[in-house]
Amino acid sequence: MVKKILITGSEGFVGSRLIEKFENKYDLTLFDKKFNRDITNPESFKGLDVDYVIHLAAITRSDNLFEMFDVNVNGTFNVLEFCKNSGANLIFASSSAVYGNIESPITETSNLNPSSYYAITKKLGEELCKFYYDNFSVNNTILRIFNPYGPNQTEGFLIPDILSQLGESEINLGNPYQKRDYIYIDDLVDAIDKSLDLNKFNIINIGTGTSYCVKELVKKITDKKVNFSDLSMVESDIYADISKAKKLLSWVPKVSLEEGIKYIS
């Protein structure tokens, strides 16, 4: 039996890659404003028949915080209501941002310390997922995704911001010392695929377990001169403990940062 999967935010960076990898494997329903389907409107879910929902739709940054909370929190509530009523399993794309700046390696039981509005909305989304499992037996898996990158990622994220400046005489960035865990989009897609077979309630880190500072990352991309606007030393080294993903999903990331950069540069 072919899995019937609804993908919210299907036109986004991760969603579009999922479609490329899944379109010949699963029966997909694409859910995006482009198709006049809005997660903030419960009517958009009427008549849909699927076995799984991969919930990617979210606003990561916006001057309109009301819109961010509406999409990220109320939208997630609507998705969970649909799953409750239809019996669909849910994969919820959360973020490593829910952890804030804490000591690494970060495990799924590490304390949450969200330090942005976006991170708070993801934490609230996670709490809704747990509530719907505890009270309505909605099977769902929360994937706390570290820093994804890959082809067609929009500017406003570090790697595409570097790549967009390669035609300039110099590259301008912020702080060179901040360290993060970067995961290639195809490894993320593979983890999402393997998560479909899970039941009950799960929280899983999806990263590589290795971090790179901005300065190291730039050197892997270009030899151009780089101007850093903030040279203050920061103690910010965020990377995942992925032992749970390895155990539950039989998954390991396959694409190194060097390989991933070659694929998109």
Side-chain angles (χ1 to χ4, degrees), residues 146-148 179-183 207-212 238-240:
F146 282 66
N147 296 266
K179 301 184 76 173
R180 293 293 182 267
D181 186 339
Y182 297 94
I183 180 166
T208 66
T210 303
S211 62
Y212 295 89
I238 305 298
Y239 61 95

Side-chain angles (χ1 to χ4, degrees), residues 20 50 63 68 79 85 92 123 129 134 138 198 200 214 216 253:
E20 288 180 32
V50 299
D63 293 330
M68 178 183 285
V79 169
N85 295 327
F92 176 57
K123 182 174 183 290
C129 288
D134 289 341
V138 173
L198 296 179
K200 298 185 178 181
V214 177
E216 291 173 316

Side-chain angles (χ1 to χ4, degrees), residues 3 7 41 43 47 58 75 78 81 143 160 165 173 198 209 224:
K3 291 182 173 78
I7 302 174
N41 180 5
E43 297 294 314
N78 288 333
E81 275 290 295
L143 300 182
Q165 298 183 65
L173 298 170
L198 296 179
K224 284 183 178 290

Side-chain angles (χ1 to χ4, degrees), residues 32-183:
D32 196 279
K33 283 188 175 181
K34 178 180 177 180
F35 309 113
N36 296 316
R37 286 175 169 157
D38 183 352
I39 62 169
T40 65
N41 180 5
E43 297 294 314
S44 292
F45 293 88
K46 284 193 172 179
L48 298 178
D49 176 25
V50 299
D51 307 308
Y52 304 85
V53 177
I54 300 173
H55 179 32
L56 304 172
I59 294 176
T60 56
R61 50 174 66 87
S62 174
D63 293 330
N64 186 338
L65 296 178
F66 293 100
E67 181 186 25
M68 178 183 285
F69 273 77
D70 191 25
V71 170
N72 296 5
V73 182
N74 293 336
T76 300
F77 166 76
N78 288 333
V79 169
L80 284 160
E81 275 290 295
F82 170 72
C83 290
K84 181 186 76 172
N85 295 327
S86 67
N89 285 11
L90 174 66
I91 307 294
F92 176 57
S94 187
S95 168
S96 61
V98 299
Y99 293 115
N101 188 19
I102 64 173
E103 186 176 351
S104 292
I106 297 172
T107 71
E108 290 82 358
T109 57
S110 295
N111 290 331
L112 303 187
N113 185 29
S115 58
S116 68
Y117 285 108
Y118 168 69
I120 290 169
T121 64
K122 283 299 183 182
K123 182 174 183 290
L124 291 171
E126 289 191 7
E127 290 176 1
L128 283 169
C129 288
K130 183 64 163 62
F131 177 83
Y132 270 77
Y133 174 71
D134 289 341
N135 291 276
F136 306 115
S137 300
V138 173
N139 292 324
N140 66 81
T141 296
I142 295 167
L143 300 182
R144 289 179 178 158
I145 302 166
F146 282 66
N147 296 266
Y149 71 99
N152 303 315
Q153 187 176 26
T154 58
E155 291 181 30
F157 296 90
L158 179 58
I159 291 177
D161 281 353
I162 296 170
L163 294 174
S164 70
Q165 298 183 65
L166 291 181
E168 308 295 327
S169 57
E170 297 179 347
I171 292 173
N172 295 292
L173 298 170
N175 189 286
Y177 304 115
Q178 181 174 276
K179 301 184 76 173
R180 293 293 182 267
D181 186 339
Y182 297 94
I183 180 166

Side-chain angles (χ1 to χ4, degrees), residues 3 5-8 13-19 21-22 25-26 28 52-56 90-94 141-145 148 183-198 204-206 245 249 251:
K3 291 182 173 78
I5 301 174
L6 169 67
I7 302 174
T8 74
F13 166 54
V14 178
S16 58
R17 196 66 164 185
L18 272 179
I19 294 168
K21 301 295 184 179
F22 283 8
K25 185 177 182 181
Y26 301 127
L28 302 181
Y52 304 85
V53 177
I54 300 173
H55 179 32
L56 304 172
L90 174 66
I91 307 294
F92 176 57
S94 187
T141 296
I142 295 167
L143 300 182
R144 289 179 178 158
I145 302 166
I183 180 166
Y184 189 66
I185 183 66
D186 288 353
D187 283 330
L188 171 56
V189 167
D190 185 38
I192 293 172
D193 194 2
K194 292 179 183 298
S195 298
L196 293 170
D197 293 325
L198 296 179
I204 307 173
N205 286 338
I206 303 298
L249 304 178
W251 170 89

